[in-house]
Amino acid sequence: MVQSYLRHGPTEAFGLVCSASSNSHYDGKLAYVPALEDVLVWDVKKGQMLAMWHETGHRAEVTSILRSPQKDIFAVGYADGSIRLWSASSTSVIATFNGHKKAVTALAFDETGTRLASGSQDTDLILWDVVGESGLYRLRGHRDQITAIRFVRPVAESAPSTSTGTAPGYLLTASKDTFLKLWDLQTQHCIQTVVAHRSEVWTMDLNPEQDLVFTGSGEGEMKAWKIDHEALAQGLRETETGEVTKFIHSVTTLPLASSHRVSQISFHPHKPYLAVQSHDKSVEVFRIRTEDEIKKKQARRRRRAKEKELEKKGKKKAEDADTHMDAEHDEKDVDLADLFTPYLVVRASGKIRSFDFGDEEAAAAKGNTQLFVALSNNALEVYSIPPPTKTKDAPPEAARVFSVDLPGHRTDVRTLCLSSDDALLASASNGSLKIWNMKTTACIRTMDCGYAICSTFLPGDRQVAVGTKSGEILIYDIASSSLVDTIQAHSGTVWSMHVRPDEQGLVSGSADKDVKFWEFEKKPANSDNPRSSSLLTLVHVRTLKMTDDVLSVRYSPNGKLLAVALLDSTVKVFYQDTLKFFLSLYGHKLPVLSMDISGDSKLIVTCSADKNVKIWGLDFGDCHKSIFAHDESVMQVAFERTDTREGDTKASHYFWTVGKDKMVKYWDGDKFENIQKLEGHHGEVWALAVSHHGKFVVTGSHDKSIRVWEKLDEPLFLEEERERELEALYEAGVADTLNRADAPIGSGAPGATDPSASTAPDAAETGAVTKQTTETLMAGERIMEALELADGEREAQREYAEARAKGGLAESVAPPPKHPVLAAYDVEPEEYVLRVVEKVPSTALYDALLVLPFGKVVSLMWYLNVWAQKEWNIVLTSRIIFFLLKTHHHQIVANRVMRTALIPLRRHLRAGLRRQKDTVAYNLAALRFIQRRTDARRTAEFYEEDEELTEEKVREKIAEGKKRKRVSIKA
């Protein structure tokens, strides 16, 4: 009988407010922030999480978040190069775009939200069609990670007013290769490259009027550039000197308060503010003055200068000065640096990862502007920037209005412990101890503590003891969330604590080479009232001196033995009562970081910094097995507890390990087999706590998240588990080899083209967007299977019909039975193929079609013809035909057989498309008619309301109304 285990599965991570992997978005009320692989939506005012955007099975970190002009849609880029479009109202994925090989680092929507541009660490720039859910083209040219993208609207006065087509526009990109590039999206080529800075360009933004560009570099300078829209409208021309026209012109360098890397520049969407972050903990806010303000200021200066002249030299000379000054004024133009004046500095409480201006609906009432700041230490803050005042008395200061920091730790989660009924979880980090409700995963208590290293609940579950780096043991009362007792236990770090199985005492081990034994003593919390609940305090009873630093201490569950792990890589086992030496477990190459003893006190398992886990017998101290468990140090090990309430009294020999390789692993201590690997953390895993009833396990990590892995009812077999792991490896490998064709220019990878060798196909500046993933390969296989099945069915029917026609078959012979699949769905072969193709997500369709061999393409053409004839899903049919003709053009042209399929296809498709076009045109005309009618009605209303209005005034009013409700319908 093959042994089966129970599978463990992840539940949601908690303890995260925001991670530092990506930028954040704030709309004045809600903040959309990254939390490792998820996006969290916080109500900043209430400090409450409203939603978690999580896709099951997807583990790559979020690296970029952007809101579309269509407010409900968000584009989220991930570290594996995929982009998902999320709907905020339904918290579900609308579409997934795969095209980049590495993390997505920059995203931009055009002003209607129909096109999305994405830039990545793989140096490529891809344009996506959001409506059609497909990649349009890939632009190559940058030599390093793309850091910022902006669409530039063409100011198209030249186009006739009747033309319905929209101009494709321009794209501005900045990259770590120090370049700023301007791309023309009509010709899909770069039309100007500017060496913007001496070091990497980390950020860029366009002002709302789209004529000024600001770039910020790695060495802390911020430059301003002007975009020449007139030159853009004329296109690339030669000047008299024979040079090509330049569209971007350098204007000036703006001074910043600090010379750190400029990591973000943002213009406020509609107020005159510009915010720049160049220091770790502060954001500088500049106010953008109007030219009139500056002219007034200059005039004031001149007046003052004149008054001084008067005082100095008397009346006569001043008149000369007056004329002289006025002449000077006419020459002096307004300088750009004068337009942007430093207004105030927002100082956050921690290192800033990104910031965002809130949309103004929320703060408009007070006239203040909100600046949202996401910190690297797992917290969010919102500052309010006061409007400029006329008075000179006090410089403006930004006030912090909201902050969200309680639901998570500022630093790594170093230790976890569970209460005896598994209802409460205590987690501690450098600076804070938090108590969590395990059912709701809500943080219910937060207390300040030192640098916590180890922790345990004391008997009764009312108090938690925490051992710190400074050698103290702190005792906290949970109910009153207060520190009850501070015990100066050791002179070095307290590495480990363990409560004795009889719950009468506790042992602590420390870097000062002492193992100290403590008894619990009850004292009333309130000395006046003898009935009040009692608190436990520790009384030191004896000390065991060791030769080396003590890293871990454990009692055996039967209460007889005490195991002590030392810095010299050995584990010493003593009798608990007499402290007589019993065994020395010797064999690890590096110190043992943690250990645990099984429930029946027969096995002890030790884990070490040498990446190994050793299982020893406690009778003779013999090493049963040494397992190479993790790729990095193994930080914690713990035996699974058996649920005593279920009457299953046999102690479990299964145990858990966590390591610095971000993995959580589940082992069988009798068979020495790895049962399950659990991936999920994005940083080294420091802490592990096992449920007392064997229902779940909790891990805490450097990524500041706490994750719960629950035992499911689903059985797990080792053979199947290994097969699944191999299959996943193989599938990833297949997709990678298919994508390996073109290394980025200058990457140094074998086969990467030399930038000078422009004859190579890789050097093309624009290319198609393809990327094979497991999903697209599977989709391609499904289409192939459907084609085979349908072809077989048609062949059988054809043979039967031929035989009947020849008369070789009797009337009584039944036609061949339908294929069971077709019979089940009750469809004809052609309809079945259409169903399969329709089920392929539109984002993966083209890549799936690339998988088909040419023979299958030929048979698919026959089905396309039938679909066009019957007008089934004309849009999809047209897309597939266009793509197949583009991809297999040479073979189709060279092949005589294809003509018979293509000629009727052309006829049917044209007819179908013409009918579709008529329908669309008819609907559009109707919509235009409705619009004209409402306009007329509105005009009439205005006339009725106010008799003295002239037609011009009415027109103005209508225009105002339109501004408020702008609906653009494009053909």
Side-chain angles (χ1 to χ4, degrees):
M1 178 73 189
V2 180
Q3 185 174 5
S4 75
Y5 303 86
L6 285 178
R7 185 181 293 286
H8 283 74
T11 61
E12 61 185 56
F14 58 97
L16 277 171
V17 180
C18 67
S19 61
S21 57
S22 149
N23 65 315
S24 307
H25 178 83
Y26 179 62
D27 65 3
K29 182 168 181 284
L30 305 180
Y32 301 86
V33 299
L36 303 175
E37 68 267 40
D38 307 327
V39 176
L40 302 183
V41 184
W42 289 96
D43 183 328
V44 184
K45 196 171 181 180
K46 295 180 183 162
Q48 185 181 359
M49 181 169 44
L50 300 181
M52 174 190 249
W53 300 352
H54 175 78
E55 189 176 6
T56 347
H58 187 243
R59 285 196 51 254
E61 279 188 283
V62 174
T63 52
S64 182
I65 297 178
L66 179 67
R67 188 176 206 165
S68 160
Q70 298 160 2
K71 292 289 184 214
D72 184 45
I73 296 176
F74 281 80
V76 180
Y78 293 87
D80 60 356
S82 64
I83 300 165
R84 282 170 175 67
L85 292 181
W86 286 87
S87 155
S89 54
S90 67
T91 66
S92 60
V93 179
I94 304 168
T96 306
F97 295 138
N98 278 306
H100 291 293
K101 296 184 186 63
K102 291 187 184 161
V104 177
T105 50
L107 292 168
F109 277 105
D110 63 356
E111 69 266 24
T112 53
T114 50
R115 287 176 303 169
L116 171 69
S118 64
S120 154
Q121 280 179 359
D122 63 9
T123 74
D124 285 357
L125 183 65
I126 298 184
L127 240 84
W128 305 93
D129 175 357
V130 176
V131 183
E133 295 186 2
S134 61
L136 296 171
Y137 43 85
R138 181 192 301 264
L139 297 170
R140 296 195 184 92
H142 279 295
R143 298 290 174 79
D144 205 339
Q145 171 185 329
I146 294 174
T147 52
I149 307 176
R150 291 288 179 273
F151 275 91
V152 181
R153 282 193 303 273
V155 185
E157 290 94 6
S158 52
S161 56
T162 51
S163 76
T164 50
T166 54
Y170 301 92
L171 204 59
L172 198 60
T173 58
S175 157
K176 279 192 185 177
D177 58 9
T178 74
F179 296 151
L180 185 66
K181 279 180 179 276
L182 184 65
W183 307 81
D184 182 347
L185 298 184
Q186 197 153 15
T187 59
Q188 299 172 18
H189 277 283
C190 175
I191 51 176
Q192 190 182 349
T193 301
V194 185
V195 181
H197 293 272
R198 284 200 302 280
S199 62
E200 302 108 333
V201 184
W202 275 100
T203 174
M204 162 191 73
D205 201 13
L206 265 170
N207 68 343
E209 293 77 52
Q210 299 228 327
D211 56 354
L212 278 180
V213 182
F214 280 59
T215 55
S217 81
E219 50 194 29
E221 61 176 353
M222 177 163 82
K223 284 189 184 171
W225 312 80
K226 232 181 180 51
I227 296 180
D228 188 347
H229 278 284
E230 279 125 33
L232 270 181
Q234 291 168 358
L236 279 170
R237 300 271 175 91
E238 276 192 15
T239 52
E240 294 83 29
T241 54
E243 287 180 357
V244 181
T245 45
K246 298 269 184 280
F247 307 109
I248 305 173
H249 303 287
S250 172
V251 186
T252 178
T253 302
L254 286 165
L256 290 174
S258 70
S259 59
H260 297 73
R261 167 179 122 193
V262 182
S263 44
Q264 194 182 343
I265 297 177
S266 289
F267 280 92
H268 192 287
H270 40 252
K271 285 197 179 177
Y273 290 117
L274 164 73
V276 180
Q277 181 205 342
S278 72
H279 185 264
D280 271 353
K281 290 190 170 188
S282 61
V283 175
E284 284 178 66
V285 179
F286 291 83
R287 197 161 66 80
I288 307 170
R289 294 220 192 92
T290 58
E291 300 218 352
D292 305 343
E293 266 185 78
I294 291 176
K295 292 222 169 93
K296 275 183 198 158
K297 199 169 178 186
Q298 286 175 346
R300 259 208 312 281
R301 276 198 194 133
R302 278 198 303 283
R303 248 200 329 278
R304 265 191 232 122
K306 209 186 296 177
E307 281 159 14
K308 279 182 188 158
E309 296 275 341
L310 281 173
E311 285 163 19
K312 275 189 192 166
K313 302 186 178 175
K315 281 269 192 304
K316 185 200 166 299
K317 291 193 179 162
E319 278 154 23
D320 309 343
D322 195 2
T323 52
H324 173 67
M325 282 278 188
D326 279 349
E328 206 176 80
H329 158 56
D330 294 339
E331 291 159 22
K332 189 171 164 62
D333 201 18
V334 177
D335 188 25
L336 186 80
D338 294 340
L339 287 171
F340 295 87
T341 55
Y343 181 52
L344 56 80
V345 175
V346 176
R347 289 190 173 77
S349 61
K351 190 174 166 193
I352 297 173
R353 169 58 179 87
S354 71
F355 64 86
D356 194 13
F357 282 112
D359 294 352
E360 279 328 289
E361 290 95 52
K366 298 175 191 142
N368 289 357
T369 304
Q370 288 193 345
L371 183 76
F372 165 82
V373 179
L375 305 180
S376 301
N377 63 8
N378 203 19
L380 313 172
E381 298 181 332
V382 176
Y383 289 86
S384 160
I385 300 171
T389 53
K390 293 278 183 281
T391 54
K392 280 286 170 71
D393 46 346
E397 277 201 2
R400 183 164 85 183
V401 271
F402 310 121
S403 76
V404 181
D405 56 1
L406 285 182
H409 285 283
R410 296 292 74 73
T411 50
D412 298 11
V413 180
R414 282 307 297 257
T415 167
L416 295 168
C417 58
L418 283 159
S419 63
S420 58
D421 58 357
D422 288 343
L424 298 179
L425 171 76
S427 66
S429 66
N430 178 5
S432 65
L433 166 73
K434 287 182 185 286
I435 310 288
W436 307 82
N437 177 342
M438 279 307 290
K439 271 209 171 60
T440 61
T441 67
C443 177
I444 49 179
R445 295 276 187 274
T446 299
M447 296 160 261
D448 291 339
C449 70
Y451 196 136
I453 297 291
C454 57
S455 62
T456 174
F457 270 90
L458 298 185
D461 291 338
R462 288 169 169 276
Q463 288 151 283
V464 177
V466 176
T468 66
K469 203 169 181 177
S470 53
E472 296 167 332
I473 295 180
L474 310 172
I475 297 181
Y476 291 90
D477 179 43
I478 296 174
S480 62
S481 66
S482 58
L483 175 63
V484 222
D485 209 351
T486 302
I487 299 147
Q488 279 296 341
H490 294 273
S491 56
T493 307
V494 182
W495 281 117
S496 175
M497 289 191 301
H498 194 208
V499 176
R500 210 160 67 204
D502 62 3
E503 300 197 337
Q504 298 303 309
L506 171 127
V507 62
S508 65
S510 155
D512 62 4
K513 306 184 185 177
D514 284 354
V515 177
K516 291 195 178 176
F517 298 84
W518 311 81
E519 295 277 332
F520 296 132
E521 193 174 273
K522 289 192 172 149
K523 66 165 187 186
N526 184 348
S527 49
D528 309 335
N529 176 7
R531 284 247 179 84
S532 71
S533 62
S534 58
L535 296 177
L536 295 176
T537 60
L538 297 185
V539 181
H540 180 212
V541 283
R542 55 182 177 170
T543 305
L544 175 64
K545 291 233 183 273
M546 302 304 290
T547 53
D548 237 317
D549 294 20
V550 178
L551 295 181
S552 178
V553 285
R554 279 323 264 186
Y555 279 113
S556 65
N558 61 12
K560 288 189 178 155
L561 301 173
L562 168 76
V564 180
L566 300 179
L567 196 63
D568 63 4
S569 313
T570 61
V571 175
K572 305 271 192 270
V573 185
F574 298 89
Y575 287 106
Q576 185 265 124
D577 43 8
T578 59
L579 295 188
K580 268 171 80 175
F581 175 74
F582 173 44
L583 293 170
S584 174
L585 310 179
Y586 168 84
H588 278 293
K589 305 231 180 355
L590 288 170
V592 172
L593 301 177
S594 166
M595 55 190 177
D596 200 15
I597 299 174
S598 65
D600 53 11
S601 303
K602 292 227 171 89
L603 292 182
I604 178 168
V605 57
T606 59
C607 70
S608 154
D610 62 13
K611 310 176 192 175
N612 286 308
V613 166
K614 288 183 192 283
I615 302 161
W616 320 73
L618 261 185
D619 299 335
F620 311 105
D622 52 328
C623 180
H624 290 188
K625 184 74 174 166
S626 176
I627 305 172
F628 177 67
H630 288 263
D631 297 337
E632 295 282 334
S633 301
V634 191
M635 298 311 296
Q636 292 264 347
V637 61
F639 273 102
E640 184 177 67
R641 314 280 172 82
T642 38
D643 195 343
T644 45
R645 297 171 304 177
E646 285 178 359
D648 176 17
T649 46
K650 188 175 175 294
S652 164
H653 282 183
Y654 303 159
F655 62 90
W656 290 89
T657 60
V658 296
K660 281 193 178 178
D661 60 355
K662 310 173 189 177
M663 298 289 267
V664 182
K665 296 192 182 183
Y666 186 33
W667 306 85
D668 181 338
D670 294 327
K671 292 213 168 88
F672 318 125
E673 291 273 11
N674 175 215
I675 303 170
Q676 212 183 344
K677 292 186 182 73
L678 294 168
E679 298 176 274
H681 279 293
H682 293 264
E684 44 268 41
V685 188
W686 295 117
L688 168 75
V690 179
S691 143
H692 291 277
H693 302 315
K695 293 281 176 278
F696 59 84
V697 53
V698 192
T699 54
S701 156
H702 168 72
D703 61 21
K704 302 181 186 65
S705 72
I706 301 171
R707 285 169 198 262
V708 181
W709 313 86
E710 272 188 345
K711 187 176 271 187
L712 311 171
D713 294 335
E714 186 189 335
L716 175 150
F717 300 98
L718 294 180
E719 314 256 300
E720 284 179 22
E721 193 65 10
R722 295 297 94 83
E723 268 174 35
R724 255 200 27 242
E725 284 166 18
L726 285 173
E727 219 162 80
L729 262 174
Y730 169 71
E731 280 173 355
V734 169
D736 288 348
T737 41
L738 281 173
N739 293 328
R740 178 65 197 92
D742 44 358
I745 302 172
S747 68
T753 51
D754 179 55
S756 57
S758 54
T759 51
D762 292 354
E765 195 168 36
T766 172
V769 183
T770 59
K771 182 187 178 187
Q772 293 296 351
T773 59
T774 347
E775 287 77 40
T776 58
L777 293 175
M778 303 269 281
E781 281 171 16
R782 279 202 300 275
I783 296 176
M784 279 195 265
E785 280 166 16
L787 286 170
E788 271 165 24
L789 188 152
D791 286 349
E793 183 73 9
R794 274 177 46 225
E795 187 60 29
Q797 285 172 357
R798 192 180 57 77
E799 280 173 6
Y800 175 74
E802 273 180 12
R804 285 293 295 271
K806 280 182 189 161
L809 279 183
E811 289 291 319
S812 56
V813 176
K818 232 178 177 181
H819 191 284
V821 176
L822 298 178
Y825 284 120
D826 189 25
V827 288
E828 287 306 304
E830 17 327 334
E831 197 181 341
Y832 173 69
V833 176
L834 179 64
R835 274 196 188 182
V836 172
V837 175
E838 278 179 332
K839 279 194 187 126
V840 177
S842 54
T843 44
L845 180 65
Y846 289 165
D847 288 321
L849 291 173
L850 281 176
V851 178
L852 302 186
F854 187 65
K856 290 279 174 283
V857 173
V858 177
S859 74
L860 182 59
M861 283 289 189
W862 186 87
Y863 292 102
L864 288 169
N865 184 16
V866 178
W867 301 343
Q869 195 175 346
K870 299 194 176 175
E871 287 196 36
W872 289 343
N873 203 334
I874 284 287
V875 181
L876 182 70
T877 309
S878 319
R879 272 182 67 186
I880 295 176
I881 288 173
F882 181 63
F883 180 75
L884 290 178
L885 290 176
K886 202 167 66 179
T887 316
H888 301 286
H889 180 256
H890 296 304
Q891 273 169 297
I892 289 172
V893 173
N895 196 338
R896 291 288 299 276
V897 185
M898 294 299 291
R899 288 194 55 173
T900 50
L902 284 173
I903 290 168
L905 178 60
R906 178 176 68 184
R907 193 173 65 244
H908 296 145
L909 194 63
R910 275 191 182 162
L913 285 172
R914 197 169 291 127
R915 272 193 286 277
Q916 292 253 339
K917 189 178 155 193
D918 290 347
T919 315
V920 171
Y922 180 82
N923 290 341
L924 216 82
L927 284 169
R928 288 213 182 98
F929 168 69
I930 294 171
Q931 187 185 12
R932 281 198 300 279
R933 211 169 59 188
T934 49
D935 277 0
R937 196 180 294 150
R938 233 206 233 123
T939 316
E941 273 174 26
F942 277 132
Y943 269 126
E944 284 160 17
E945 277 172 23
D946 202 339
E947 293 301 320
E948 304 95 66
L949 282 179
T950 58
E951 190 165 338
E952 279 81 41
K953 281 188 185 168
V954 172
R955 285 266 154 85
E956 274 171 28
K957 278 207 166 182
I958 289 177
E960 268 176 28
K962 269 190 193 158
K963 256 181 213 157
R964 230 170 283 125
K965 308 181 179 62
R966 193 169 93 239
V967 179
S968 58
I969 297 172
K970 291 202 175 73

